[in-house]
């Protein structure tokens, strides 16, 4: 068992069970959903960041929560990453990662997340002298507790920082393999432009050879060619972001044909200027083209909303129907690394809650 949550970490404040924003919010919240694109370091809320800075004696250039939130006005991916890496420095010990993880998992549970596939960035921490094992053990304890308390299942995915070398990624993979019983897969994140997936082909080959699942960020700021590379050279099972696929019609057709899940992060895309307004987001077009689009929150503490807020943002801005919202939820389960029996069970639950039956042909799109 873990100690009770201390004053340092603060209380987890449950979401109101009131219906925020009307019946659509209740409908979405009640749909079982998987979150497939969530950086646990990106759930570090300003209040916790400042408390941990005081705990560890870390000097941050922000005197208050308001001043820190004001720094979240990003012009692009790199401006976000600069703040993101600076704040990660307050995460120092196993307990910090445990409380960080559990805070997210409780909030996700309250928003209808039944399965979470969580990214973490080992190199961000080991470069600061934090033991790899401390990070993994803290997160493992949080994930185990969430499964016990909420029935929430999970996969933990270690991401390589693509602005660092492939040799450094390979050394990180060595540490990942020492924790193979906890870590299910590897991914690729951080600054996309100028760091194509091909740079990490050998590392991903070795990871797959050891039975690890593989995913990669591609087609957020990088070109469609990066999505091709991630599929062909890294043999990833899904694409994180992927919104620029639309620039390559042949790629769109391939993604539809192979039913490769795209883990789209709408609020993130707007905050990082991938799209200037939510009304201009291409999620609805991609969905209607038959792509396996999913909705996720990416780094929710920085981008203004967790999973429910992302669903509601695209529903309002793009005029999604309830059937389309249910399809997004189904896609999240189908695009996950859940076993087939669990996938079937959750999709049937979504079907029941959405009050609409799937035809046999539609079922074949979700479960093979």
């Amino acid at each position: 068992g873990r100690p009770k949550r201390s004053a340092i970490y603060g209380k987890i404040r449950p979401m109101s069970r009131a219906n925020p924003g009307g019946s659509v919010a209740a409908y979405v919240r009640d749909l079982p959903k998987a979150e497939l694109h969530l950086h646990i370091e990106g759930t570090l809320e300003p209040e916790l960041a400042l408390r941990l800075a005081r705990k560890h004696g870390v000097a941050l250039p922000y005197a208050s929560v308001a001043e820190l939130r004001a720094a979240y006005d990003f012009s692009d991916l790199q401006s976000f990453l600069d703040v993101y890496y600076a704040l990660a420095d307050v995460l120092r010990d196993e307990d910090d990662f445990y409380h960080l993880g559990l805070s997210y998992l409780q909030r996700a549970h309250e928003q209808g997340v039944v399965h979470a596939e969580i990214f973490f960035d080992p190199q961000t921490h080991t470069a600061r002298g934090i033991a790899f094992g401390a990070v993994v053990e803290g997160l493992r304890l949080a994930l185990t507790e969430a499964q016990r308390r909420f029935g929430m299942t999970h996969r933990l995915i270690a991401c390589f920082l693509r602005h660092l070398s492939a040799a450094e990624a390979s050394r990180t993979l060595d540490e990942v393999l020492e924790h193979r019983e906890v870590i299910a897969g590897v991914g690729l994140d951080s600054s996309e432009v100028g760091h194509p997936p091909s740079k990490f082909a050998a590392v991903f080959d070795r990871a797959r050879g050891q039975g690890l699942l593989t995913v990669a960020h591609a087609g957020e700021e990088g070109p469609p060619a990066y999505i091709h590379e991630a599929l062909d050279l890294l043999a990833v099972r899904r694409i994180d972001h992927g919104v620029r696929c639309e620039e390559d019609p042949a790629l769109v057709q391939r993604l539809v044909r192979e039913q490769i899940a795209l883990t789209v992060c709408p609020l993130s895309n707007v905050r990082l200027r991938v799209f200037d307004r939510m009304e201009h987001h291409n999620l609805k077009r991609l969905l209607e083209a038959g792509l396996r689009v999913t909705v996720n929150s990416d780094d929710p503490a920085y981008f203004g909303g967790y999973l429910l807020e992302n669903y509601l943002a695209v529903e309002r801005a793009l005029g999604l129907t309830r059937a389309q919202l249910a399809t997004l939820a189904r896609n999240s389960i189908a695009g996950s690394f859940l076993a087939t029996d669990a996938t079937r069970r959750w999709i049937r639950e979504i079907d029941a809650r959405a009050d609409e039956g799937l035809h046999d042909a539609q079922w074949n799109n979700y479960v093979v």
Side-chain angles (χ1 to χ4, degrees):
R2 299 292 303 177
K4 291 184 178 179
R5 193 174 178 88
S6 74
I8 287 175
Y9 300 99
K11 294 180 179 179
I12 299 175
R13 289 175 295 182
M15 276 185 58
S16 169
R17 301 310 294 180
N19 187 353
S23 59
V24 172
Y27 173 77
V28 172
R29 186 175 56 223
D30 288 345
L31 292 172
K33 299 173 290 297
E35 177 140 50
L36 308 180
H37 188 152
L38 184 284
H39 300 269
I40 198 63
E41 295 90 349
T43 68
L44 180 61
E45 294 286 346
E47 294 86 352
L48 179 56
L50 292 173
R51 283 195 292 271
L52 292 182
R54 290 192 293 270
K55 171 188 171 184
H56 295 297
V58 177
L60 293 178
Y62 313 103
S64 67
V65 169
E67 192 175 324
L68 182 48
R69 286 198 187 279
Y72 293 2
D73 184 18
F74 308 117
S75 59
D76 56 17
L77 177 60
Q78 190 57 55
S79 64
F80 154 67
L81 291 172
D82 290 342
V83 176
Y84 175 88
Y85 291 133
L87 288 186
D89 192 36
V90 305
L91 296 165
R92 297 293 182 93
D93 59 35
E94 179 186 307
D95 241 25
D96 297 344
F97 288 98
Y98 163 75
H99 287 292
L100 178 74
L102 192 59
S103 294
Y104 160 72
L105 291 163
Q106 178 159 332
R107 189 186 296 252
H109 165 66
E110 291 165 353
Q111 295 196 350
V113 175
V114 297
H115 178 74
E117 302 196 352
I118 291 176
F119 298 144
F120 75 107
D121 290 338
Q123 291 159 294
T124 296
H125 311 299
T126 56
R128 300 181 289 114
I130 309 302
F132 191 103
V135 180
V136 173
E137 182 62 10
L139 295 176
R140 183 192 69 78
L141 288 166
L143 291 164
T144 301
E145 184 163 342
Q147 186 154 6
R148 178 182 63 80
R149 288 171 55 185
F150 313 134
M152 185 187 299
T153 53
H154 60 266
R155 300 289 184 272
L156 187 60
I157 298 173
C159 291
F160 306 121
L161 300 181
R162 67 202 305 158
H163 66 274
L164 301 179
S165 70
E168 289 172 282
S170 186
R171 288 192 290 272
T172 297
L173 178 57
D174 292 338
E175 293 190 277
V176 168
L177 293 172
E178 292 176 8
H179 298 272
R180 183 67 183 81
E181 73 284 357
V182 181
I183 300 172
V186 295
L188 188 63
D189 63 8
S190 189
S191 311
E192 188 179 2
V193 175
H195 302 287
S198 53
K199 175 180 171 182
F200 298 92
V203 179
F204 272 71
D205 283 346
R206 187 157 72 94
R208 290 195 315 278
Q210 294 294 321
L212 289 164
L213 302 164
T214 54
V215 298
H217 286 50
E220 177 190 16
E221 288 195 327
Y226 282 16
I227 301 176
H228 282 290
E229 286 193 6
L231 294 171
D232 296 333
L233 303 180
L234 305 189
V236 298
R237 300 274 295 273
R238 63 177 179 245
I239 296 292
D240 297 316
H241 290 299
V243 291
R244 290 190 62 188
C245 69
E246 198 175 38
E247 299 169 24
D248 183 340
L251 175 59
V252 170
Q253 292 175 10
R254 177 186 181 180
L255 293 170
V256 172
R257 184 173 62 252
E258 298 180 14
Q259 282 296 282
I260 303 294
L262 302 184
T263 65
V264 177
C265 305
L267 289 175
S268 166
N269 290 160
V270 173
R271 290 295 291 272
L272 297 183
R273 311 294 196 269
V274 178
F275 298 94
D276 57 357
R277 298 179 57 190
M278 192 64 74
E279 288 79 3
H280 298 159
H281 203 291
N282 65 359
L283 179 142
K284 185 175 183 179
R285 289 197 303 274
L286 297 176
L287 188 66
E288 291 178 340
L291 281 87
R292 183 168 279 177
V293 178
T294 69
V295 169
N296 309 271
S297 64
D298 202 0
D299 299 277
Y302 295 90
F303 300 143
Y306 287 76
L307 191 61
L308 178 60
E309 290 79 19
N310 273 270
Y311 269 84
L312 296 180
V314 292
E315 184 273 332
R316 286 191 297 266
L318 304 179
L320 299 185
T321 65
R322 290 194 176 207
Q324 288 173 320
L325 293 169
T327 296
L328 290 170
R330 290 190 190 95
N331 286 350
S332 74
I333 299 294
S336 76
F337 295 133
L338 281 165
T340 300
D341 58 344
T343 300
R344 286 183 178 276
R345 178 166 58 87
W346 284 124
I347 289 179
R348 291 196 185 281
E349 180 71 15
I350 294 166
D351 191 31
R353 289 176 183 263
D355 195 28
E356 55 184 30
L358 287 179
H359 303 297
D360 289 342
Q362 290 175 295
W363 258 99
N364 291 336
N365 289 332
Y366 289 104
V367 182
V368 294

